[in-house]
Amino acid sequence: MRLRKFRVRAYRCIHDSGEIRVGDLAAFVGRNESGKTTILQALTLFNKEQQLSELDLCDELVEDLKSEVRLVEGEFELNHEEMNLIKETFPNIPEIKKIKIFRTNKNPIPQYDFGDVEISDAENSGLNSWENFREKIMACLDTIPNHIRIKLNTEFFEGNAPETEEIFRNEMAEFGNSLHVLAVDEPQVISEWEKVVDDPSINFQSLLVGTTEKMTLENFVEINIHPRFVYFSDYKKIIGNINLNEYQKEHISPSIEFFEDEFDKAETVDNLFYLAELDVDKLEECKNIPSQLIRLLNMSSKRLTEKLNPAWKGDPIHVDLRLNPNNVISVVISDVHKDGSVTNTGLLNRRAEGFKWTFSFILNFAAETQRAELKEAILLLDEPARNLHPTQQRGISDLLKNLAGSNQVLYATHSPFMIFDYAPGNLLVVELEKKKHLSRIFYDYWNADDATLTPILYGLSRGLVESIVDREIGYNSRPVIIVETMSDTMYLNAFDKFLEDPNISMNPLNIVAAYNKNSVLPLAIFYRNHGHNTFVLLDNTNESKDISAKLIANEFSKVQTIFFEQAGKTLQSIEDYILPEDYLHAVNQTYGIKLRKEGYTNITKEDINSQKKNGVIESLSSIWQQHKEDGWEEFDSEEVCRYICEKIAIEEADFMSDKTKDRFRSLYRLIAERIRQQHNLISNQNIDKRKKMSV
């Protein structure tokens, strides 16, 4: 089950969040004390066991709260397994794809809304419910002679449904045994009892709770598929020293605190052993057999290393578990370099604090999310990786991306390095209204204030934030060209110098590379809203065409969107301005060694044409994909771009033909023409405004 929409009202500093749509991996960005944490904590109210305090209610809405208010409500999307589970259990109910869950200030229990799906609220004796089963049992007992009946303990059948199948089976077995003993001389009684309990429908898995179809469905959802929200804010630190004597004591007789500061706490040790798949009992057995002990620790160390490295950025690490005298296990870390060399071997507790935090976070988080109880849970993370270097923050972001496959992840951050999806719904801004001290959430986040948006701006424009928020820059400043990739920026700047044509020079322009396609739209809006004459240069993919439509919807003129084209023909990417023969020269030079190893002299134009793809990049990507098993990995167009731009810079680009140069001249003329058209458009609009004012 995934949360797709939510709304929070009258909760702490949140007056009304409005309806917010969220993706599988959503970041809440805002300044300190803006309400990011409050949003995450509000979502925990969906949990069945979550307690609500009067102190959690918004002080500003005392009058509203006198009546019933939905503090939190959400629309949840069911997966196929959940939909099938409901369909199998309730075959007469139309297919349910979405469920609304809400909680009010007057009702401490989460409630359900199934939308337009028609569900009966009438008493239904045909339901295979606990209530109907209990009535069937009691009807059977009413036929038993009174001298037997009064001796039977029927308390189990008179109470609520049992919580587990084990309780159900044990209670049924105990009652059956008692009946057999008391009715040993009444075979008819035993026969009637066995007819009831042998009914194939009488099994715990199929027994439902409720007397109406609606009540039964609600109870079924609550018991079987109700979503679970898990909030992480205390990221437990691992020191790397494990006192096994104390660890085992803790599991026998738990205490609040037992470890000295130099030893890890039991819960962190549990996580470490879980990932390492290290059995403490097995470890005890091997202590006096050195060869088995070494093998056991080596295997555990290997498993731990393999599970931690995918989320580790920079050089990989190797984790080594060592058993020392006094029954203490130490965690030893080594750096593993690309050439295979190993350096900096030493105890974890002697590493820098940032390193220890990263190691601890990845280990604890990986363990806790892999455990069965957290699978499919919706994870709420408050400021993950806040103390880490940007490189390691990107490692944590990769971990979150991977988690989003099995778990929905919602997290709060104000780091630009923890923002990697700029699509609305995956990026939400939380802002504090100071006068009322109330938080609000921006789905269209580009409308938030500059200070709140700072980390987003850094991410969107690769650090060019100052140029965006400089209020002294106005409509008379240099036009801004937003491009989709860094390669676009490099080519435009390189060919501008290469051509040395003052009539088409790009020098008066600001060329800004968006972080990715999702960031093009908001980045263009940011620049436009801050007074820049803004244009967007796009390739001819479907995604880019969608961006163009959204730009128009956000009041950009058609002339401000420029697609790659040449002589009236659309081009797929900026690389298609380069003649295929010229571009392939760069490709073959860039990948020369790899190609020769695979028996290729060169990639040819015929190879490109045989792919029947749109553009040279798609064609080369297809060729590389065909050779994936040969170790070609993926085609890297940026690497080829760097080669071409470097050769232009050192004046060794003789392989570039005059025709390629002419094609780039046509691109610069196209941009210049669009700037002229936009200038005329603005001028005409200003004239019309003045005319209307004079009238």
Side-chain angles (χ1 to χ4, degrees), residues 6 100 132 174 221 225 236 268 279 365 382 418 442 471 555 558 575 586 646 655 665:
F6 76 89
K100 285 187 178 180
N132 292 335
E174 185 177 342
V221 169
I225 62 173
K236 303 177 284 287
T268 64
D279 187 326
F365 201 68
D382 196 0
M418 290 295 293
F442 286 90
R471 293 294 185 178
E555 299 181 352
K558 290 184 178 180
E575 284 85 358
E646 181 183 341
F655 60 92
R665 286 190 182 96

Side-chain angles (χ1 to χ4, degrees), residues 124-135:
N124 187 350
S125 59
L127 288 170
N128 191 25
S129 67
W130 168 255
E131 286 80 4
N132 292 335
F133 167 69
R134 183 173 61 187
E135 287 183 13

Side-chain angles (χ1 to χ4, degrees), residues 522-637:
L523 188 60
I525 293 173
F526 289 141
Y527 271 107
R528 190 269 311 276
N529 290 354
H530 284 81
H532 291 269
N533 193 13
T534 306
F535 299 81
V536 181
L537 189 60
L538 300 170
D539 59 33
N540 275 284
T541 62
N542 289 331
E543 282 183 283
S544 297
K545 291 172 184 176
D546 184 54
I547 292 169
S548 175
K550 290 178 179 176
L551 286 165
I552 300 297
N554 281 276
E555 299 181 352
F556 280 79
S557 69
K558 290 184 178 180
V559 300
Q560 288 175 281
T561 301
I562 307 168
F563 286 97
F564 293 125
E565 62 176 71
Q566 201 268 328
K569 181 183 177 182
T570 60
L571 301 178
Q572 196 70 6
S573 66
I574 196 169
E575 284 85 358
D576 291 317
Y577 282 97
I578 305 172
L579 232 60
E581 297 88 339
D582 298 352
Y583 191 74
L584 288 176
H585 173 88
V587 171
N588 290 322
Q589 290 297 314
T590 304
Y591 286 97
I593 296 174
K594 181 183 286 290
L595 292 173
R596 284 195 291 275
K597 283 183 178 179
E598 297 298 326
Y600 278 76
T601 311
N602 284 311
I603 301 292
T604 66
K605 188 177 178 180
E606 286 71 29
D607 295 326
I608 296 296
N609 293 336
S610 68
Q611 300 301 310
K612 298 180 179 179
K613 299 289 185 180
N614 294 322
V616 67
I617 300 302
E618 280 195 18
S619 298
L620 288 166
S621 296
S622 178
I623 293 172
W624 256 250
Q625 182 64 30
Q626 292 167 13
H627 292 273
K628 191 174 183 179
E629 293 184 359
D630 299 327
W632 285 33
E633 298 177 347
E634 292 183 1
F635 177 69
D636 189 350
S637 60

Side-chain angles (χ1 to χ4, degrees), residues 387-434:
N387 299 322
L388 299 186
H389 186 274
T391 302
Q392 290 298 344
Q393 286 189 5
R394 286 197 292 270
I396 300 301
S397 72
D398 286 347
L399 176 64
L400 300 185
K401 289 177 191 176
N402 292 334
L403 274 172
S406 57
N407 300 81
Q408 188 173 12
V409 182
L410 312 178
Y411 66 101
T413 187
H414 46 65
S415 167
F417 306 102
M418 290 295 293
I419 306 169
F420 36 85
D421 191 341
Y422 294 89
N426 290 331
L427 177 58
L428 302 151
V429 163
V430 186
E431 196 173 88
L432 185 68
E433 190 178 331
K434 291 183 178 180

Side-chain angles (χ1 to χ4, degrees), residues 195-399:
K195 282 181 186 178
V196 174
V197 298
D198 289 343
D199 187 333
S201 66
I202 303 303
N203 64 82
F204 183 76
Q205 295 298 332
S206 65
L207 286 178
L208 303 170
V209 179
T211 56
T212 70
E213 195 172 51
K214 185 179 180 184
M215 183 193 302
T216 305
L217 176 59
E218 290 174 344
N219 289 330
F220 180 83
V221 169
E222 180 189 355
I223 295 168
N224 294 279
I225 62 173
H226 187 95
R228 185 183 177 199
F229 287 76
V230 182
Y231 177 70
F232 292 88
S233 64
D234 181 22
Y235 303 102
K236 303 177 284 287
K237 188 168 79 172
I238 293 173
I239 302 167
N241 291 327
I242 302 163
N243 188 321
L244 288 173
N245 295 330
E246 297 293 341
Y247 173 73
Q248 290 170 319
K249 277 186 201 175
E250 173 68 1
H251 279 270
I252 296 170
S253 179
S255 58
I256 298 175
E257 292 281 345
F258 72 92
F259 283 127
E260 298 178 23
D261 290 341
E262 69 266 24
F263 294 119
D264 284 306
K265 291 182 169 61
E267 57 183 336
T268 64
V269 177
D270 284 339
N271 287 338
L272 190 148
F273 285 175
Y274 175 81
L275 284 187
E277 299 176 35
L278 179 59
D279 187 326
V280 179
D281 294 333
K282 185 68 176 176
L283 182 66
E284 285 293 325
E285 293 174 11
C286 297
K287 277 184 180 179
N288 298 319
I289 311 172
S291 60
Q292 290 187 16
L293 178 63
I294 292 171
R295 186 173 181 275
L296 179 67
L297 290 174
N298 284 345
M299 290 297 295
S300 296
S301 300
K302 184 174 182 286
R303 286 190 287 265
L304 192 56
T305 300
E306 289 173 347
K307 291 175 181 177
L308 292 178
N309 266 318
W312 198 270
K313 285 297 177 183
D315 286 335
I317 59 171
H318 178 76
V319 187
D320 194 16
L321 301 178
R322 298 179 183 177
L323 183 62
N324 300 313
N326 302 320
N327 214 22
V328 172
I329 289 181
S330 295
V331 179
V332 178
I333 306 292
S334 303
D335 296 331
V336 182
H337 304 284
K338 291 180 180 178
D339 60 2
S341 61
V342 178
T343 63
N344 202 21
T345 300
L347 295 171
L348 173 62
N349 65 355
R350 295 179 183 173
R351 288 290 188 118
E353 286 302 310
F355 184 99
K356 286 188 285 191
W357 192 98
T358 305
F359 183 90
S360 302
F361 175 85
I362 294 173
L363 190 146
N364 280 312
F365 201 68
E368 291 175 15
T369 52
Q370 286 179 28
R371 293 181 190 274
E373 59 265 26
L374 287 189
K375 285 185 178 178
E376 296 295 329
I378 298 173
L379 308 177
L380 310 171
L381 281 70
D382 196 0
E383 296 286 356
R386 53 182 172 262
N387 299 322
L388 299 186
H389 186 274
T391 302
Q392 290 298 344
Q393 286 189 5
R394 286 197 292 270
I396 300 301
S397 72
D398 286 347
L399 176 64

